[in-house]
Amino acid sequence: MSENPEMFQSLLNDYEEIRINLERELSGADKTALYMNLNKLIIKIADYICRNEKTVRKGIGEIMGGKVLELESERLERLQKEAEAEAKAMGEARGRAIGEAKGRAIGEAKGRAIGEAKGRAIGEAIGEERLSTLLNRLIMDGRSAEIQSVVTNAETRKRLYKEYGILPE
């Protein structure tokens, strides 16, 4: 048999067909034991008939012994585990996305607040420097009487900034 590849392949095809038919006819949960017993019996018979053909016995064993029917309870347990794993992965992905979005929002809000605070501080420093420069120039020019108006009136301040060329930066 092992010396004739066509005959060997034909034999393997016949056993494959037997296995498929057994699977189809005995696929219910209550028939699994019968399927397993018939499968083992077929392998034993083939081992006996082909006891001198190691390659043939191996080929038949792979075809017949390679498939084991799954019990309904095992199938349901497997499906449950697969569903749980998928749900866990989806939950983790969703949680990660929500966490990243919240983190980004918090980071943007903190960044905005820090930026606004720094901008306000810089603006105040520039404003104080401009006012200080204007007040010093007024004092040096003997215009101290105008200081009260500069401090209380924005229009006067703007006019004098322009007059002295103290421009905003």
Side-chain angles (χ1 to χ4, degrees):
M1 179 75 64
S2 59
E3 293 173 11
N4 186 339
E6 290 176 9
M7 185 185 283
F8 178 53
Q9 188 57 51
S10 176
L11 178 70
L12 291 180
N13 291 343
D14 289 343
Y15 273 95
E16 177 70 15
E17 189 176 327
I18 291 169
R19 186 194 55 76
I20 290 169
N21 287 330
L22 278 175
E23 224 175 83
R24 182 177 50 247
E25 295 299 322
L26 304 175
S27 63
D30 58 333
K31 298 179 183 176
T32 302
L34 179 59
Y35 170 83
M36 298 294 288
N37 289 336
L38 285 172
N39 213 3
K40 286 180 186 176
L41 182 59
I42 290 169
I43 292 171
K44 282 186 180 184
I45 291 170
D47 285 349
Y48 178 76
I49 293 172
C50 304
R51 61 184 165 269
N52 296 328
E53 301 278 346
K54 183 178 180 182
T55 307
V56 174
R57 285 195 328 266
K58 182 180 177 196
I60 292 171
E62 286 176 358
I63 288 175
M64 297 304 292
K67 301 280 185 174
V68 176
L69 288 182
E70 185 177 47
L71 293 173
E72 183 66 13
S73 60
E74 293 171 331
R75 186 182 74 80
L76 293 174
E77 184 178 341
R78 178 181 52 80
L79 291 174
Q80 177 70 26
K81 285 180 182 178
E82 288 172 3
E84 287 173 358
E86 186 177 340
K88 180 181 177 185
M90 288 173 59
E92 287 174 356
R94 186 168 185 222
R96 193 176 308 104
I98 290 170
E100 287 174 3
K102 284 183 178 180
R104 199 170 13 262
I106 290 169
E108 288 173 3
K110 284 184 177 180
R112 196 176 307 111
I114 291 170
E116 288 173 2
K118 283 184 177 181
R120 198 174 307 116
I122 291 169
E124 287 175 5
I126 291 170
E128 286 178 10
E129 181 64 32
R130 285 177 59 205
L131 182 60
S132 175
T133 301
L134 178 60
L135 294 176
N136 280 334
R137 302 279 292 277
L138 290 172
I139 292 169
M140 288 172 60
D141 288 347
R143 297 172 68 179
S144 299
E146 295 178 70
I147 291 177
Q148 182 65 35
S149 180
V150 166
V151 173
T152 58
N153 188 318
E155 287 302 316
T156 303
R157 231 182 355 262
K158 285 180 188 176
R159 180 178 51 77
L160 289 172
Y161 282 145
K162 197 173 196 177
E163 180 182 325
Y164 279 100
I166 304 171
L167 305 173
E169 295 177 11

PDB file of all heavy atoms in Angstrom, residues 96-130:
ATOM      1  N   ARG A  96     -10.056  52.522  28.078  1.00  0.00           N
ATOM      2  CA  ARG A  96      -8.841  53.236  27.696  1.00  0.00           C
ATOM      3  C   ARG A  96      -9.194  54.487  26.902  1.00  0.00           C
ATOM      4  O   ARG A  96      -8.649  55.564  27.139  1.00  0.00           O
ATOM      5  CB  ARG A  96      -7.937  52.321  26.865  1.00  0.00           C
ATOM      6  CG  ARG A  96      -6.530  52.838  26.682  1.00  0.00           C
ATOM      7  CD  ARG A  96      -5.617  51.856  25.938  1.00  0.00           C
ATOM      8  NE  ARG A  96      -5.593  50.518  26.465  1.00  0.00           N
ATOM      9  CZ  ARG A  96      -6.211  49.457  25.918  1.00  0.00           C
ATOM     10  NH1 ARG A  96      -6.876  49.572  24.824  1.00  0.00           N
ATOM     11  NH2 ARG A  96      -6.143  48.265  26.462  1.00  0.00           N
ATOM     12  N   ALA A  97     -10.138  54.363  25.958  1.00  0.00           N
ATOM     13  CA  ALA A  97     -10.532  55.508  25.135  1.00  0.00           C
ATOM     14  C   ALA A  97     -11.163  56.602  25.999  1.00  0.00           C
ATOM     15  O   ALA A  97     -10.849  57.789  25.846  1.00  0.00           O
ATOM     16  CB  ALA A  97     -11.511  55.064  24.054  1.00  0.00           C
ATOM     17  N   ILE A  98     -12.034  56.198  26.927  1.00  0.00           N
ATOM     18  CA  ILE A  98     -12.676  57.177  27.815  1.00  0.00           C
ATOM     19  C   ILE A  98     -11.624  57.835  28.697  1.00  0.00           C
ATOM     20  O   ILE A  98     -11.609  59.057  28.871  1.00  0.00           O
ATOM     21  CB  ILE A  98     -13.783  56.509  28.662  1.00  0.00           C
ATOM     22  CG1 ILE A  98     -14.973  56.135  27.762  1.00  0.00           C
ATOM     23  CG2 ILE A  98     -14.228  57.412  29.805  1.00  0.00           C
ATOM     24  CD1 ILE A  98     -16.012  55.257  28.440  1.00  0.00           C
ATOM     25  N   GLY A  99     -10.715  57.023  29.240  1.00  0.00           N
ATOM     26  CA  GLY A  99      -9.655  57.565  30.095  1.00  0.00           C
ATOM     27  C   GLY A  99      -8.760  58.537  29.345  1.00  0.00           C
ATOM     28  O   GLY A  99      -8.405  59.596  29.858  1.00  0.00           O
ATOM     29  N   GLU A 100      -8.419  58.161  28.109  1.00  0.00           N
ATOM     30  CA  GLU A 100      -7.574  59.059  27.313  1.00  0.00           C
ATOM     31  C   GLU A 100      -8.307  60.360  27.012  1.00  0.00           C
ATOM     32  O   GLU A 100      -7.717  61.441  27.080  1.00  0.00           O
ATOM     33  CB  GLU A 100      -7.150  58.377  26.020  1.00  0.00           C
ATOM     34  CG  GLU A 100      -6.110  57.285  26.223  1.00  0.00           C
ATOM     35  CD  GLU A 100      -5.800  56.507  24.959  1.00  0.00           C
ATOM     36  OE1 GLU A 100      -6.355  56.839  23.886  1.00  0.00           O
ATOM     37  OE2 GLU A 100      -4.996  55.569  25.040  1.00  0.00           O
ATOM     38  N   ALA A 101      -9.594  60.255  26.680  1.00  0.00           N
ATOM     39  CA  ALA A 101     -10.376  61.468  26.378  1.00  0.00           C
ATOM     40  C   ALA A 101     -10.481  62.359  27.616  1.00  0.00           C
ATOM     41  O   ALA A 101     -10.295  63.575  27.527  1.00  0.00           O
ATOM     42  CB  ALA A 101     -11.766  61.089  25.872  1.00  0.00           C
ATOM     43  N   LYS A 102     -10.769  61.744  28.768  1.00  0.00           N
ATOM     44  CA  LYS A 102     -10.848  62.531  30.000  1.00  0.00           C
ATOM     45  C   LYS A 102      -9.497  63.141  30.339  1.00  0.00           C
ATOM     46  O   LYS A 102      -9.411  64.303  30.725  1.00  0.00           O
ATOM     47  CB  LYS A 102     -11.335  61.661  31.170  1.00  0.00           C
ATOM     48  CG  LYS A 102     -12.814  61.379  31.137  1.00  0.00           C
ATOM     49  CD  LYS A 102     -13.247  60.588  32.350  1.00  0.00           C
ATOM     50  CE  LYS A 102     -14.741  60.350  32.342  1.00  0.00           C
ATOM     51  NZ  LYS A 102     -15.160  59.583  33.522  1.00  0.00           N
ATOM     52  N   GLY A 103      -8.439  62.339  30.190  1.00  0.00           N
ATOM     53  CA  GLY A 103      -7.093  62.842  30.471  1.00  0.00           C
ATOM     54  C   GLY A 103      -6.730  64.005  29.555  1.00  0.00           C
ATOM     55  O   GLY A 103      -6.162  65.007  29.989  1.00  0.00           O
ATOM     56  N   ARG A 104      -7.093  63.866  28.273  1.00  0.00           N
ATOM     57  CA  ARG A 104      -6.822  64.941  27.321  1.00  0.00           C
ATOM     58  C   ARG A 104      -7.594  66.194  27.702  1.00  0.00           C
ATOM     59  O   ARG A 104      -7.059  67.295  27.695  1.00  0.00           O
ATOM     60  CB  ARG A 104      -7.203  64.471  25.908  1.00  0.00           C
ATOM     61  CG  ARG A 104      -6.589  65.255  24.803  1.00  0.00           C
ATOM     62  CD  ARG A 104      -6.776  64.658  23.403  1.00  0.00           C
ATOM     63  NE  ARG A 104      -7.726  63.599  23.221  1.00  0.00           N
ATOM     64  CZ  ARG A 104      -7.436  62.295  23.176  1.00  0.00           C
ATOM     65  NH1 ARG A 104      -6.202  61.884  23.324  1.00  0.00           N
ATOM     66  NH2 ARG A 104      -8.382  61.385  22.988  1.00  0.00           N
ATOM     67  N   ALA A 105      -8.881  66.023  28.068  1.00  0.00           N
ATOM     68  CA  ALA A 105      -9.712  67.173  28.454  1.00  0.00           C
ATOM     69  C   ALA A 105      -9.154  67.848  29.711  1.00  0.00           C
ATOM     70  O   ALA A 105      -9.058  69.077  29.778  1.00  0.00           O
ATOM     71  CB  ALA A 105     -11.156  66.733  28.677  1.00  0.00           C
ATOM     72  N   ILE A 106      -8.772  67.038  30.680  1.00  0.00           N
ATOM     73  CA  ILE A 106      -8.202  67.593  31.914  1.00  0.00           C
ATOM     74  C   ILE A 106      -6.884  68.293  31.602  1.00  0.00           C
ATOM     75  O   ILE A 106      -6.628  69.404  32.075  1.00  0.00           O
ATOM     76  CB  ILE A 106      -8.001  66.487  32.977  1.00  0.00           C
ATOM     77  CG1 ILE A 106      -9.370  66.001  33.488  1.00  0.00           C
ATOM     78  CG2 ILE A 106      -7.124  66.976  34.128  1.00  0.00           C
ATOM     79  CD1 ILE A 106      -9.299  64.742  34.337  1.00  0.00           C
ATOM     80  N   GLY A 107      -6.058  67.649  30.769  1.00  0.00           N
ATOM     81  CA  GLY A 107      -4.775  68.250  30.395  1.00  0.00           C
ATOM     82  C   GLY A 107      -4.957  69.570  29.657  1.00  0.00           C
ATOM     83  O   GLY A 107      -4.247  70.544  29.923  1.00  0.00           O
ATOM     84  N   GLU A 108      -5.940  69.598  28.731  1.00  0.00           N
ATOM     85  CA  GLU A 108      -6.200  70.839  28.000  1.00  0.00           C
ATOM     86  C   GLU A 108      -6.692  71.937  28.941  1.00  0.00           C
ATOM     87  O   GLU A 108      -6.260  73.089  28.837  1.00  0.00           O
ATOM     88  CB  GLU A 108      -7.222  70.594  26.891  1.00  0.00           C
ATOM     89  CG  GLU A 108      -6.675  69.797  25.724  1.00  0.00           C
ATOM     90  CD  GLU A 108      -7.750  69.426  24.702  1.00  0.00           C
ATOM     91  OE1 GLU A 108      -8.930  69.828  24.867  1.00  0.00           O
ATOM     92  OE2 GLU A 108      -7.413  68.727  23.742  1.00  0.00           O
ATOM     93  N   ALA A 109      -7.585  71.569  29.857  1.00  0.00           N
ATOM     94  CA  ALA A 109      -8.108  72.562  30.808  1.00  0.00           C
ATOM     95  C   ALA A 109      -6.987  73.091  31.705  1.00  0.00           C
ATOM     96  O   ALA A 109      -6.875  74.304  31.927  1.00  0.00           O
ATOM     97  CB  ALA A 109      -9.224  71.943  31.650  1.00  0.00           C
ATOM     98  N   LYS A 110      -6.142  72.182  32.198  1.00  0.00           N
ATOM     99  CA  LYS A 110      -5.024  72.621  33.048  1.00  0.00           C
ATOM    100  C   LYS A 110      -4.056  73.476  32.244  1.00  0.00           C
ATOM    101  O   LYS A 110      -3.579  74.504  32.723  1.00  0.00           O
ATOM    102  CB  LYS A 110      -4.288  71.419  33.639  1.00  0.00           C
ATOM    103  CG  LYS A 110      -5.015  70.761  34.781  1.00  0.00           C
ATOM    104  CD  LYS A 110      -4.195  69.646  35.384  1.00  0.00           C
ATOM    105  CE  LYS A 110      -4.904  69.039  36.574  1.00  0.00           C
ATOM    106  NZ  LYS A 110      -4.110  67.952  37.172  1.00  0.00           N
ATOM    107  N   GLY A 111      -3.776  73.047  31.012  1.00  0.00           N
ATOM    108  CA  GLY A 111      -2.874  73.815  30.152  1.00  0.00           C
ATOM    109  C   GLY A 111      -3.420  75.203  29.865  1.00  0.00           C
ATOM    110  O   GLY A 111      -2.689  76.198  29.903  1.00  0.00           O
ATOM    111  N   ARG A 112      -4.729  75.259  29.579  1.00  0.00           N
ATOM    112  CA  ARG A 112      -5.371  76.547  29.319  1.00  0.00           C
ATOM    113  C   ARG A 112      -5.283  77.442  30.556  1.00  0.00           C
ATOM    114  O   ARG A 112      -4.945  78.624  30.465  1.00  0.00           O
ATOM    115  CB  ARG A 112      -6.832  76.328  28.924  1.00  0.00           C
ATOM    116  CG  ARG A 112      -7.491  77.518  28.282  1.00  0.00           C
ATOM    117  CD  ARG A 112      -8.919  77.233  27.806  1.00  0.00           C
ATOM    118  NE  ARG A 112      -9.010  76.064  26.933  1.00  0.00           N
ATOM    119  CZ  ARG A 112      -9.605  74.907  27.269  1.00  0.00           C
ATOM    120  NH1 ARG A 112     -10.165  74.771  28.442  1.00  0.00           N
ATOM    121  NH2 ARG A 112      -9.649  73.906  26.420  1.00  0.00           N
ATOM    122  N   ALA A 113      -5.573  76.876  31.725  1.00  0.00           N
ATOM    123  CA  ALA A 113      -5.533  77.653  32.972  1.00  0.00           C
ATOM    124  C   ALA A 113      -4.120  78.158  33.250  1.00  0.00           C
ATOM    125  O   ALA A 113      -3.927  79.330  33.622  1.00  0.00           O
ATOM    126  CB  ALA A 113      -6.031  76.799  34.141  1.00  0.00           C
ATOM    127  N   ILE A 114      -3.132  77.286  33.047  1.00  0.00           N
ATOM    128  CA  ILE A 114      -1.746  77.699  33.270  1.00  0.00           C
ATOM    129  C   ILE A 114      -1.361  78.790  32.274  1.00  0.00           C
ATOM    130  O   ILE A 114      -0.751  79.800  32.643  1.00  0.00           O
ATOM    131  CB  ILE A 114      -0.791  76.485  33.164  1.00  0.00           C
ATOM    132  CG1 ILE A 114      -1.013  75.542  34.352  1.00  0.00           C
ATOM    133  CG2 ILE A 114       0.670  76.930  33.073  1.00  0.00           C
ATOM    134  CD1 ILE A 114      -0.315  74.198  34.233  1.00  0.00           C
ATOM    135  N   GLY A 115      -1.741  78.584  30.999  1.00  0.00           N
ATOM    136  CA  GLY A 115      -1.440  79.581  29.971  1.00  0.00           C
ATOM    137  C   GLY A 115      -2.083  80.931  30.268  1.00  0.00           C
ATOM    138  O   GLY A 115      -1.446  81.980  30.126  1.00  0.00           O
ATOM    139  N   GLU A 116      -3.353  80.881  30.697  1.00  0.00           N
ATOM    140  CA  GLU A 116      -4.039  82.129  31.031  1.00  0.00           C
ATOM    141  C   GLU A 116      -3.371  82.826  32.216  1.00  0.00           C
ATOM    142  O   GLU A 116      -3.187  84.045  32.218  1.00  0.00           O
ATOM    143  CB  GLU A 116      -5.516  81.861  31.337  1.00  0.00           C
ATOM    144  CG  GLU A 116      -6.333  81.512  30.106  1.00  0.00           C
ATOM    145  CD  GLU A 116      -7.756  81.093  30.434  1.00  0.00           C
ATOM    146  OE1 GLU A 116      -8.147  81.111  31.630  1.00  0.00           O
ATOM    147  OE2 GLU A 116      -8.484  80.740  29.496  1.00  0.00           O
ATOM    148  N   ALA A 117      -2.996  82.048  33.217  1.00  0.00           N
ATOM    149  CA  ALA A 117      -2.353  82.624  34.401  1.00  0.00           C
ATOM    150  C   ALA A 117      -1.002  83.247  34.036  1.00  0.00           C
ATOM    151  O   ALA A 117      -0.688  84.369  34.468  1.00  0.00           O
ATOM    152  CB  ALA A 117      -2.164  81.550  35.484  1.00  0.00           C
ATOM    153  N   LYS A 118      -0.226  82.526  33.208  1.00  0.00           N
ATOM    154  CA  LYS A 118       1.066  83.070  32.791  1.00  0.00           C
ATOM    155  C   LYS A 118       0.864  84.317  31.934  1.00  0.00           C
ATOM    156  O   LYS A 118       1.574  85.308  32.098  1.00  0.00           O
ATOM    157  CB  LYS A 118       1.861  82.022  32.002  1.00  0.00           C
ATOM    158  CG  LYS A 118       2.498  80.972  32.856  1.00  0.00           C
ATOM    159  CD  LYS A 118       3.346  80.026  32.026  1.00  0.00           C
ATOM    160  CE  LYS A 118       4.041  79.003  32.902  1.00  0.00           C
ATOM    161  NZ  LYS A 118       4.881  78.099  32.113  1.00  0.00           N
ATOM    162  N   GLY A 119      -0.110  84.265  31.019  1.00  0.00           N
ATOM    163  CA  GLY A 119      -0.394  85.423  30.173  1.00  0.00           C
ATOM    164  C   GLY A 119      -0.816  86.626  30.990  1.00  0.00           C
ATOM    165  O   GLY A 119      -0.381  87.757  30.738  1.00  0.00           O
ATOM    166  N   ARG A 120      -1.656  86.387  31.983  1.00  0.00           N
ATOM    167  CA  ARG A 120      -2.114  87.466  32.868  1.00  0.00           C
ATOM    168  C   ARG A 120      -0.927  88.062  33.630  1.00  0.00           C
ATOM    169  O   ARG A 120      -0.768  89.282  33.708  1.00  0.00           O
ATOM    170  CB  ARG A 120      -3.154  86.927  33.847  1.00  0.00           C
ATOM    171  CG  ARG A 120      -3.995  87.992  34.501  1.00  0.00           C
ATOM    172  CD  ARG A 120      -5.130  87.409  35.361  1.00  0.00           C
ATOM    173  NE  ARG A 120      -5.937  86.454  34.613  1.00  0.00           N
ATOM    174  CZ  ARG A 120      -6.046  85.149  34.892  1.00  0.00           C
ATOM    175  NH1 ARG A 120      -5.463  84.628  35.890  1.00  0.00           N
ATOM    176  NH2 ARG A 120      -6.777  84.348  34.184  1.00  0.00           N
ATOM    177  N   ALA A 121      -0.056  87.190  34.147  1.00  0.00           N
ATOM    178  CA  ALA A 121       1.108  87.655  34.906  1.00  0.00           C
ATOM    179  C   ALA A 121       2.049  88.463  34.014  1.00  0.00           C
ATOM    180  O   ALA A 121       2.543  89.528  34.419  1.00  0.00           O
ATOM    181  CB  ALA A 121       1.849  86.458  35.512  1.00  0.00           C
ATOM    182  N   ILE A 122       2.272  87.977  32.789  1.00  0.00           N
ATOM    183  CA  ILE A 122       3.145  88.708  31.863  1.00  0.00           C
ATOM    184  C   ILE A 122       2.511  90.048  31.498  1.00  0.00           C
ATOM    185  O   ILE A 122       3.181  91.089  31.480  1.00  0.00           O
ATOM    186  CB  ILE A 122       3.430  87.857  30.606  1.00  0.00           C
ATOM    187  CG1 ILE A 122       4.311  86.663  30.978  1.00  0.00           C
ATOM    188  CG2 ILE A 122       4.075  88.693  29.508  1.00  0.00           C
ATOM    189  CD1 ILE A 122       4.447  85.611  29.880  1.00  0.00           C
ATOM    190  N   GLY A 123       1.213  90.014  31.220  1.00  0.00           N
ATOM    191  CA  GLY A 123       0.497  91.249  30.886  1.00  0.00           C
ATOM    192  C   GLY A 123       0.556  92.271  32.006  1.00  0.00           C
ATOM    193  O   GLY A 123       0.766  93.469  31.771  1.00  0.00           O
ATOM    194  N   GLU A 124       0.364  91.796  33.229  1.00  0.00           N
ATOM    195  CA  GLU A 124       0.441  92.701  34.380  1.00  0.00           C
ATOM    196  C   GLU A 124       1.843  93.285  34.519  1.00  0.00           C
ATOM    197  O   GLU A 124       2.008  94.494  34.766  1.00  0.00           O
ATOM    198  CB  GLU A 124       0.051  91.969  35.663  1.00  0.00           C
ATOM    199  CG  GLU A 124      -1.432  91.685  35.771  1.00  0.00           C
ATOM    200  CD  GLU A 124      -1.793  90.849  36.998  1.00  0.00           C
ATOM    201  OE1 GLU A 124      -0.896  90.557  37.830  1.00  0.00           O
ATOM    202  OE2 GLU A 124      -2.972  90.496  37.119  1.00  0.00           O
ATOM    203  N   ALA A 125       2.861  92.461  34.335  1.00  0.00           N
ATOM    204  CA  ALA A 125       4.246  92.939  34.459  1.00  0.00           C
ATOM    205  C   ALA A 125       4.544  93.987  33.392  1.00  0.00           C
ATOM    206  O   ALA A 125       5.155  95.032  33.685  1.00  0.00           O
ATOM    207  CB  ALA A 125       5.225  91.770  34.351  1.00  0.00           C
ATOM    208  N   ILE A 126       4.095  93.735  32.169  1.00  0.00           N
ATOM    209  CA  ILE A 126       4.307  94.701  31.081  1.00  0.00           C
ATOM    210  C   ILE A 126       3.557  95.997  31.378  1.00  0.00           C
ATOM    211  O   ILE A 126       4.100  97.102  31.213  1.00  0.00           O
ATOM    212  CB  ILE A 126       3.871  94.095  29.723  1.00  0.00           C
ATOM    213  CG1 ILE A 126       4.831  92.973  29.311  1.00  0.00           C
ATOM    214  CG2 ILE A 126       3.803  95.169  28.644  1.00  0.00           C
ATOM    215  CD1 ILE A 126       4.360  92.156  28.117  1.00  0.00           C
ATOM    216  N   GLY A 127       2.295  95.849  31.818  1.00  0.00           N
ATOM    217  CA  GLY A 127       1.485  97.030  32.151  1.00  0.00           C
ATOM    218  C   GLY A 127       2.105  97.857  33.263  1.00  0.00           C
ATOM    219  O   GLY A 127       2.151  99.096  33.197  1.00  0.00           O
ATOM    220  N   GLU A 128       2.589  97.165  34.299  1.00  0.00           N
ATOM    221  CA  GLU A 128       3.231  97.881  35.404  1.00  0.00           C
ATOM    222  C   GLU A 128       4.496  98.582  34.938  1.00  0.00           C
ATOM    223  O   GLU A 128       4.781  99.724  35.340  1.00  0.00           O
ATOM    224  CB  GLU A 128       3.556  96.906  36.539  1.00  0.00           C
ATOM    225  CG  GLU A 128       2.336  96.457  37.322  1.00  0.00           C
ATOM    226  CD  GLU A 128       2.675  95.453  38.416  1.00  0.00           C
ATOM    227  OE1 GLU A 128       3.877  95.250  38.699  1.00  0.00           O
ATOM    228  OE2 GLU A 128       1.730  94.880  38.977  1.00  0.00           O
ATOM    229  N   GLU A 129       5.267  97.914  34.082  1.00  0.00           N
ATOM    230  CA  GLU A 129       6.501  98.508  33.556  1.00  0.00           C
ATOM    231  C   GLU A 129       6.183  99.753  32.729  1.00  0.00           C
ATOM    232  O   GLU A 129       6.853 100.782  32.865  1.00  0.00           O
ATOM    233  CB  GLU A 129       7.252  97.470  32.711  1.00  0.00           C
ATOM    234  CG  GLU A 129       8.569  97.975  32.133  1.00  0.00           C
ATOM    235  CD  GLU A 129       9.607  98.310  33.199  1.00  0.00           C
ATOM    236  OE1 GLU A 129       9.616  97.664  34.265  1.00  0.00           O
ATOM    237  OE2 GLU A 129      10.409  99.229  32.957  1.00  0.00           O
ATOM    238  N   ARG A 130       5.142  99.664  31.889  1.00  0.00           N
ATOM    239  CA  ARG A 130       4.744 100.818  31.065  1.00  0.00           C
ATOM    240  C   ARG A 130       4.297 101.983  31.948  1.00  0.00           C
ATOM    241  O   ARG A 130       4.674 103.144  31.728  1.00  0.00           O
ATOM    242  CB  ARG A 130       3.606 100.428  30.119  1.00  0.00           C
ATOM    243  CG  ARG A 130       4.077  99.591  28.951  1.00  0.00           C
ATOM    244  CD  ARG A 130       2.953  99.137  28.054  1.00  0.00           C
ATOM    245  NE  ARG A 130       2.219 100.255  27.513  1.00  0.00           N
ATOM    246  CZ  ARG A 130       0.963 100.193  27.103  1.00  0.00           C
ATOM    247  NH1 ARG A 130       0.303  99.065  27.168  1.00  0.00           N
ATOM    248  NH2 ARG A 130       0.363 101.248  26.616  1.00  0.00           N
TER     249      ARG A 130
END
